[in-house]
Structures are given as structure tokens and as C-alpha cells.
Amino acid sequence: MRNRKQILCLFVAATCLAASLITTARAQEVESTLRQQVEQYLKASESVYNFTGSAAIAKGGKIIYAGGFGMADFEAKRKNAPTTRFLIGSVTKQFTAAAILQMQEKGLLSVDDTLKKYFSDFPENIANTVTIRHLLTHTSGIANYTASTAFATWLKTNPSLDDQIAMIATLPPDFAPGERYQYSNSGYKLLEGIIVKISGMPWDQYMAKNILAPAGLSATGFDLMQVEEDLRAVGYTTPDSIRQRAEMWPPGVAGGAGALYSTTLDLIKWDEALRTKKLLSAASLAAMYTPNLDRYAFGWIIDSVGAYERIWHDGQIAGFAAALVRIPSEELCIAVLSNDDTGPARSLAIALSALAVGQPYDVPVRKTPVAGNPDRYPEYVGAYDLGGGQYRFITTENGKLYSQRAGSPQFEILPEGGDKFFYPMDNATTVLFIRNEAGEVMAQEFQQGGVDSRHRKLPPDEAEKVMPKFEVAQVDPAIYDQYVGEYQLAPIFSIVITREGNQIFGQATGQSKFEMFPSSETKFFLKVVEAQIEFVRGADGKVEQLILYQSGQVMPGKKIK
């Protein structure tokens, strides 16, 4: 007969086993619910957003969900899968940052080294003041090479890394090092050069040996076109809802700033390698995730979803879009890859991160606009205060209503009913105009990502100071015929000018067609985005080029047709 002590031990053991089984069952139930919600969201995204790509979510390294959507090759009818290889664009930057920190651990460099130690091409004032830390955090002030006019030739000539760095050295700095944050691929191109100088190996070979292989990333690499055709996705772009193949960059042009390809499953392994300190020490990881200006760390953006810290980065390169999100406290990782550079990889990954931790999110929906009342649209027109010196402008033209956040493109918003409108590219994002007791519009309620925010409508005198000024000159539309044609700004980028009646339009490669408005007989502006176009005549009086002014860049384009 068992004594009381034995019986008590058996009872305790049985109780612990029961508790463990209950905990396991609950965890499995939570995972099952999450899996169903993720699949529902992604299927809705495929239906509404035409999402084509792959997505995966893991907790503690365990795959909760992995699936493919759309086609890896639409012409061959080959489907996407979690094992399909996609270019990941700027998600590459965190890999380059990891290699730099790994070299620092080995005593091969310091992130506080200046450029002078590695490059002789830069002017003294830049070489002596810009550090590796500045390059990692986009605070160097070195201009972005992919936004320069010289970059257009790179896509055709595929220059060597040394020639690329020499060209970057000629770019005038945008600001003093550390003064502010400004995203610049040049920083990560220079980090690529530093890795090459120190290791004596090409960047891709060093990464394969010291980062990819130790992390177990067998499906991640440098040149997507070298991957077996059945394993890789074809890159597409979808201007005006017409999907077409994108012309890929030479991989060496993107390099350490954005050349890698991967799969969603390999990105989950990447998260696991970082989380378990397989590649970097705790101190290096802490440095990697410490936000600098504008929340940018070393190849990562640091923000939050609810009360949870979120570490993420997205990427976009010709034909592809990508996003990788990590929530460290929950050991969650979300990877979304798309073989359409207009695809919503970033918004999907951000929404899935909210879903995974029980925060508000919107399931994509497709709405049909109702008949609007354009006579009432002027009541909505004005500037709405978003806080922090930011504004959203509501305008109306030709019986349509438009919304534009300062510095961002303009979008038409469609009537849903009453004072509520929705965005055509994301029907779940809505604007509801709020009226006071007198029936006057006093605010707008903006809903996006399951979160509502209310913005005060500025009085007319305050709105006048911040609203964009569109002064259209009176010109003879017959002059537009002289501008019609195609203007090449880069080997794979051009602007086509067309005339329709008394209107003139411009359409850039891979983008929608937008109306242009004259500020003089030769200068035009766009209302949908802050950009101007100037037409230039040759000695014979015929139009021979246009110049695009946008985001501080001056981009000439020769008339070729």
C-alpha cells in the first residue's frame, strides 16, 4: 500500500501534467485562431489588392502560417509558394549592417571610423567627418545615388563597385553629417565597399560565407537570374491595373543596398539566427536595434504596435516588394514578399503584426461607390491639422473630391454615403467629415489600420497659409502639340506626353497618366504630386528635351519620339 507521501507526489505530478496539457491545448487553440485570421486576411488581400507573392508568420521560430498567392510566372501559370525566391530590395540593408557589426566584433573596424580610413575619392570635409555609424543610420548627408541623374547610366553600363563609389564621391552633400535623417542608398553602397576592402572578397561572396551560410539561409543569395527558373519569381509592375514584366536591375548596381533574394521561410530563419545570437553578440544586437534619428537603427526601423516594440524594414526594387517585421517580446516574425513592385508587401506585413498581437487592423474589402453630391464637396474643402506641423488637404475639381497629405501624392476619394468617403486603392481606409450643430464641417475622422484619428479643420485664414497654391496660366492649348512625344530620362525610364482636347498629360514608365497644368507656355506642374516639368527648345526652335523637377532632383530627358 502506498503511503500518503507517495500518493501526494502522484497527485502533484498528475496536477502538473493536467495543467501542462491545458496550457498546450490553449496555445494550440491560439495558434489555430491566428492561423485562420492570417489566412483570411491574406486571401482578402489577394482578392482586393491582387496580392501576388508569399507570406509566413512564426512564433519562437515555429512556423504558424506559410502560403503562396498569385503566380510566380503569370505567363507560364506557375504559382507562388513559401519556397519561391523573390528579390527583397532594401531588406538587404540589415544583412549588410550585420556584416559590419560582425567585423567590429572581430576588431576589423569600428562603426565610429571615418570614410578617410577606407576611401580616397571623397573631399576632405566629407572623408574626415562622415562615419560608418552615419552610413548605417542614413544621417551621413551623402546624396542618394539612385536618385541622381548619373544613376540612369548604371542600369545600362553596370559599372564596377570602384566606379560606383567614385561617382558617389562627386555628389554634393545634402547636409552636414548627423544633422538629420535622410534615406540614402549611398550609405549602404559605401558599407558594401568597406566590407570588400577589409575582407578582400567580393561583397556577395563575403556575405554568403560569413552571414548566409552560418544562419542556414540556403535559399538566399545574390543573383536571382542564376536561380533555377522553377524556383524563382518573375518580377512585375502594374501601372493602370495592367500587369507587365519589369526590367530588372543588374545585381551589382543594388549591391549591399538591395541586391539579395530570399524566401519567406529563409527570412524566418534569419529572424531565428538573430534572436538566438547565432551571428552577433547581445551587445551588437543592442546596437543594431537602437533607434537613431527618425527611429532608424542599423538597417532596421524601430516603432511600436500597441504596447509592443516592433522592429521592421521594407524593400522595393524593379519587379518586387518585400517587408520583414519582428516583435521581439512575443518572438514573432512576419515575412511578406511580392513579385509586383506595386504590391502591398509593407502594408500587409504591418497589418499582420497588429493582428498577431491583438491590435486593431482592417481586413481588405471592396466597396462600390454610391452617387455623390458634388454640390456639397466645397463644404469639405480645406486643410485639416494632423499635428506636428502636418496637414491633409481636401480639394475638389470637376465634380470629384481629392485628399492629399502634405508632401504626398493626391488621391481621389469616393463617396460611401452621407459624409463618408473611401480610398479606391484601399477601401478599408475611410474619411468621415464631422459637422457641428450648425451643419458646418469642423473636422474629419480618418480610419486606417483599424485606428480612428480626428483632425480639426483649420479656419479659412489659417488654411490659406498652408494650402498648396495652384495658379494655372492661360495658354493656347494648340501649343501642347509641340510637346507631344516620348522623353527618355534613363534607359528604362521615360515620360510620354499626350494631348487630349484642351488637356495635356504626362505618363512615366510604370505609373498612371496624370494631367499637367501650365504655369507658363513652357512650364507645367502636377497636382497629384509635387513635381514640375519644363520643356526646352533647341537652336532650331523645336522641342528637344524636358526637365523633371521633383524631390530636389533635376532630371533631363531627351525627346526620342
Side-chain angles (χ1 to χ4, degrees):
M1 181 179 294
R2 293 175 175 149
N3 59 35
R4 292 179 62 187
K5 186 175 181 180
Q6 289 175 315
I7 294 172
L8 179 61
C9 289
L10 288 171
F11 175 76
V12 171
T15 302
C16 291
L17 177 60
S20 176
L21 291 173
I22 291 171
T23 301
T24 301
R26 286 176 178 169
Q28 291 174 343
E29 183 179 353
V30 169
E31 287 182 7
S32 177
T33 300
L34 176 58
R35 188 178 301 111
Q36 292 172 13
Q37 291 175 326
V38 168
E39 186 163 21
Q40 176 195 21
Y41 180 86
L42 290 169
K43 284 184 175 179
S45 298
E46 182 181 31
S47 173
V48 175
Y49 299 146
N50 296 315
F51 170 57
T52 176
S54 175
I57 182 169
K59 184 176 177 63
K62 177 185 177 183
I63 300 292
I64 302 297
Y65 177 87
F69 298 85
M71 297 289 175
D73 185 331
F74 281 87
E75 291 75 25
K77 306 299 182 185
R78 181 163 49 83
K79 294 182 178 181
N80 276 317
T83 54
T84 304
R85 276 76 159 168
F86 302 79
L87 289 179
I88 63 174
S90 287
V91 176
T92 299
K93 288 180 170 63
Q94 61 199 247
F95 290 82
T96 298
I100 290 291
L101 288 169
Q102 193 181 71
M103 284 184 159
Q104 180 172 252
E105 287 185 5
K106 296 176 180 178
L108 300 174
L109 60 77
S110 165
V111 296
D112 294 313
D113 288 341
T114 63
L115 293 191
K116 186 177 182 179
K117 186 173 180 179
Y118 304 100
F119 305 113
S120 59
D121 293 320
F122 284 83
E124 284 290 311
N125 63 319
I126 297 176
N128 290 330
T129 56
V130 172
T131 66
I132 290 176
R133 187 185 301 275
H134 289 135
L135 303 179
L136 288 164
T137 57
H138 298 295
T139 57
S140 70
I142 296 174
N144 185 3
Y145 77 92
T146 58
S148 71
T149 54
F151 176 68
T153 62
W154 291 24
L155 301 176
K156 185 177 181 180
T157 62
N158 190 22
S160 68
L161 177 59
D162 286 343
D163 287 343
Q164 294 174 30
I165 291 172
M167 191 282 287
I168 291 173
T170 68
L171 298 175
D174 291 330
F175 53 88
E179 183 177 284
R180 66 176 189 266
Y181 166 90
Q182 180 174 290
Y183 195 87
S184 175
N185 288 302
S186 297
Y188 279 79
K189 177 58 67 172
L190 296 177
L191 292 172
E192 174 191 350
I194 290 171
I195 291 170
V196 170
K197 282 184 178 291
I198 292 176
S199 68
M201 300 170 61
W203 172 81
D204 57 306
Q205 292 181 22
Y206 180 87
M207 297 297 291
K209 179 180 179 180
N210 295 277
I211 299 293
L212 306 184
L217 308 186
S218 58
T220 302
F222 175 66
D223 189 347
L224 183 62
M225 296 308 293
Q226 298 302 312
V227 174
E228 185 180 339
E229 188 173 5
D230 287 346
L231 295 177
R232 58 179 163 85
V234 174
Y236 294 88
T237 188
T238 311
D240 295 330
S241 301
I242 301 174
R243 181 175 281 116
Q244 59 190 41
R245 289 196 177 213
E247 189 168 346
M248 294 173 62
W249 291 10
V253 166
L260 291 181
Y261 66 79
S262 191
T263 69
T264 50
L265 295 181
D266 250 24
L267 291 179
I268 296 296
K269 291 181 182 178
W270 169 241
D271 164 71
E272 182 73 358
L274 294 174
R275 190 171 59 82
T276 58
K277 305 178 183 62
K278 185 179 290 187
L279 298 171
L280 296 171
S281 67
S284 290
L285 290 170
M288 192 181 211
Y289 305 143
T290 298
N292 205 278
L293 301 179
D294 278 25
R295 301 175 288 107
Y296 201 93
F298 292 177
W300 293 95
I301 298 167
I302 316 297
D303 64 6
S304 61
V305 51
Y308 302 91
E309 182 185 56
R310 178 168 57 195
I311 301 174
W312 66 280
H313 208 289
D314 61 335
Q316 187 177 36
I317 195 168
F320 297 87
L324 181 64
V325 179
R326 307 172 66 226
I327 302 177
S329 65
E330 304 304 298
E331 297 187 343
L332 279 164
C333 179
I334 300 102
V336 179
L337 300 176
S338 175
N339 56 319
D340 189 326
D341 58 22
T342 61
R346 171 181 172 176
S347 60
L348 264 61
I350 293 296
L352 289 174
S353 70
L355 184 162
V357 294
Q359 293 297 305
Y361 69 98
D362 288 322
V363 175
V365 294
R366 192 183 300 280
K367 298 176 180 176
T368 301
V370 302
N373 185 357
D375 292 340
R376 303 197 69 176
Y377 289 177
E379 300 174 23
Y380 308 132
V381 169
Y384 294 78
D385 187 1
L386 308 185
Q390 294 293 308
Y391 303 94
R392 180 173 290 109
F393 307 121
I394 302 296
T395 56
T396 184
E397 188 173 354
N398 299 324
K400 297 180 179 180
L401 198 65
Y402 297 91
S403 174
Q404 181 177 25
R405 183 168 179 149
S408 299
Q410 181 189 73
F411 298 101
E412 182 184 0
I413 51 177
L414 305 177
E416 185 171 336
D419 290 324
K420 192 173 185 180
F421 295 77
F422 66 89
Y423 284 74
M425 74 288 190
D426 180 4
N427 291 185
T429 297
T430 61
V431 178
L432 174 64
F433 294 96
I434 309 298
R435 298 179 182 271
N436 58 22
E437 293 180 356
E440 301 167 328
V441 175
M442 56 173 287
Q444 65 173 209
E445 190 172 88
F446 189 78
Q447 184 182 67
Q448 185 176 43
V451 178
D452 294 341
S453 52
R454 180 173 290 209
H455 310 128
R456 176 180 68 96
K457 184 181 182 184
L458 297 182
D461 58 333
E462 294 182 34
E464 174 68 19
K465 298 176 182 177
V466 298
M467 289 281 285
K469 306 295 190 298
F470 298 125
E471 297 184 9
V472 180
Q474 297 300 313
V475 302
D476 184 355
I479 202 172
Y480 297 165
D481 290 331
Q482 301 176 31
Y483 304 142
V484 169
E486 182 177 354
Y487 300 78
Q488 188 176 51
L489 287 77
I492 60 171
F493 182 76
S494 62
I495 295 178
V496 176
I497 303 297
T498 56
R499 178 187 175 185
E500 297 179 17
N502 291 333
Q503 296 171 290
I504 185 170
F505 295 86
Q507 183 171 20
T509 302
Q511 300 180 23
S512 300
K513 178 173 64 178
F514 296 119
E515 185 175 1
M516 298 165 19
F517 300 88
S519 54
S520 72
E521 285 195 349
T522 59
K523 296 180 180 180
F524 294 77
F525 63 88
L526 279 70
K527 294 182 179 181
V528 296
V529 68
E530 295 180 11
Q532 295 81 41
I533 285 178
E534 179 180 5
F535 293 97
V536 180
R537 300 179 187 276
D540 59 0
K542 295 181 179 180
V543 176
E544 62 179 18
Q545 71 169 338
L546 64 69
I547 301 175
L548 172 65
Y549 302 92
Q550 187 174 11
S551 302
Q553 296 295 314
V554 179
M555 293 167 276
K558 181 181 179 181
K559 189 174 185 180
I560 58 175
K561 290 183 183 179

